[in-house]
Amino acid sequence: MNHPFPVLEEDRLPTPPLMIGEGACDNPFLARSVVNISGMSFGAISRPAIQALSRGAGEAGCWMDTGEGGLSPYHLEGNCDLIMQVGTARYGLRNPDGSFAPEKAQEIARFVKAFEIKLSQGAKPGKGGVLPGAKVTAEIARIRGIPEGEDSISPNRHPDIANIDQLLDRICNLRDLTGRPVGVKTALGDESFMTLLCEAVLRRGAQDAPDFLTIDGGEGGTGAAPQTLMDHMSLPIAEALPMAVDALRDSGLKDRVRVIASGKLVTPARAAWALCTGADFVHSARGFMFAIGCIQAMRCHTNTCPTGVATHNRRLQRGLVVEDKAARVVNYVRSLNREIDMIAHSCGCRHARELGRRHVRIVETAGRSIPLDVLHPGA
């Protein structure tokens, strides 16, 4: 909603960074960019794709989520901030039998800013991942800690996390072990997860809370997800995000737990909506896939991606020129952050972190809209 008296140029302020894990761990993380790169695994996407994303993130000042495929040397090339995702198969953090390897977590903690325990993602909640054997090269097998050339199947959930207390125990153990902030990524089906999480944290103490929550919407996608789950499972981000934010605020935990919004937030308007709703940061995978050349050919699982983004075929990778695509990643991050700020200034805010639900109206039918703070009061 545009303000009748928008902010003058001389009154505008840079959008401030936010700390993640402050007061809860030995090495809290200062996150500089509102827009950041969501989890895309090495293995699912190619070496030059990871290189382009890493270099672009390093120059643009945003973080990069590794995805559940482990930490590769290519993630480190750009000297960017990294969040290590801990998937259900513990790739990169596992012993040969699949059990958790504490010493590997401590080693990886030297190179990353935080850890993210992935419970589910919007594209395929309740189902694990499959990396076909044709894409499990010797290098990928070494990084993930799995046999070369064999299908790599991750469980549909963490076998040793079956309730909220076990989840909080894992968060605390990993945070104590590594000294890094630890968060959770999940798609929501209803209010129950947030209710149980907040109740358990209030019972145990705020020190046991996750340092951040990544809320993924059901519209999230990957060419390797079953169509039925992609189309019909989990709440869309428009419902899931206010549900999560309101649960944290009602419990007095919003300042303790940072909220990252994910789920087809590709444009500045959608990202600004997420900030208005109560998110602290925005994750995008799809937008960055477009930036490095994805044409949505839906061949992600076949190793025949024509643009080189999701294949390990060296001939097909030749079209993905790392230097060129890294520059496009930089442009995308900077443009998105700049235009989010532009929207904030038009709303009468000095910077994007002043955006709130009072600044948005949601169009319900042709010619009619409702204020977001009426649709979702309390913020």
Side-chain angles (χ1 to χ4, degrees), residues 29-38 52-65 78-83 113 281-284 288 329-330 332-334 337:
F29 167 33
L30 182 65
R32 298 168 288 166
S33 174
V34 168
V35 177
N36 301 278
I37 303 175
S38 189
L53 291 169
S54 174
R55 295 182 194 181
E59 186 174 344
C62 72
W63 80 62
M64 178 182 180
D65 192 308
N79 196 30
C80 65
D81 292 335
L82 292 167
I83 292 181
K113 297 293 186 179
F281 303 99
V282 173
H283 256 185
S284 178
F288 286 97
V329 170
V330 174
Y332 182 59
V333 175
R334 290 178 176 170
N337 279 320

Side-chain angles (χ1 to χ4, degrees), residues 176-188:
D176 292 343
L177 181 69
T178 64
R180 300 292 183 183
V182 179
V184 173
K185 176 178 182 175
T186 189
L188 298 180

Side-chain angles (χ1 to χ4, degrees), residues 112-243:
V112 303
K113 297 293 186 179
F115 289 83
E116 178 185 69
I117 298 173
K118 175 186 168 184
L119 297 184
S120 60
Q121 66 184 91
K124 47 181 180 179
K127 184 168 179 61
V130 179
L131 187 65
K135 295 182 73 172
V136 183
T137 64
E139 182 179 41
I140 289 166
R142 183 176 66 254
I143 290 168
R144 293 195 177 206
I146 56 176
E148 178 184 353
E150 297 181 13
D151 289 353
S152 179
I153 301 174
S154 53
N156 64 332
R157 72 166 175 85
H158 293 265
D160 54 351
I161 301 178
N163 55 55
I164 292 294
D165 279 306
Q166 289 179 357
L167 173 62
L168 295 179
D169 288 343
R170 172 60 57 83
I171 290 168
C172 294
N173 291 341
L174 187 56
R175 188 163 50 212
D176 292 343
L177 181 69
T178 64
R180 300 292 183 183
V182 179
V184 173
K185 176 178 182 175
T186 189
L188 298 180
D190 60 14
E191 302 96 335
S192 59
F193 174 80
M194 291 304 306
T195 300
L196 291 171
L197 177 69
C198 292
E199 287 176 350
V201 170
L202 292 178
R203 183 180 73 250
R204 295 167 58 130
Q207 73 282 351
D208 285 7
D211 298 301
F212 61 91
L213 277 177
T214 303
I215 303 299
D216 201 5
E219 55 273 83
T222 163
Q227 196 71 44
T228 299
L229 297 185
M230 227 185 335
D231 289 346
H232 302 294
M233 291 300 292
S234 87
L235 292 175
I237 192 65
E239 189 171 0
L241 182 60
M243 184 181 292

Side-chain angles (χ1 to χ4, degrees), residues 186 188 190-191 193-195 197-198 212-216 235-262 265 271-282 353 355-358 372-373 376-379:
T186 189
L188 298 180
D190 60 14
E191 302 96 335
F193 174 80
M194 291 304 306
T195 300
L197 177 69
C198 292
F212 61 91
L213 277 177
T214 303
I215 303 299
D216 201 5
L235 292 175
I237 192 65
E239 189 171 0
L241 182 60
M243 184 181 292
V245 170
D246 288 350
L248 292 172
R249 282 192 170 142
D250 292 346
S251 303
L253 296 171
K254 180 61 179 67
D255 291 336
R256 168 71 181 89
V257 182
R258 301 300 186 195
V259 176
I260 304 167
S262 182
L265 303 176
W273 165 84
L275 295 182
C276 290
T277 304
D280 298 299
F281 303 99
V282 173
R353 298 208 179 280
L355 287 168
R357 296 184 190 180
R358 67 189 182 279
L372 183 60
D373 56 355
H376 296 290

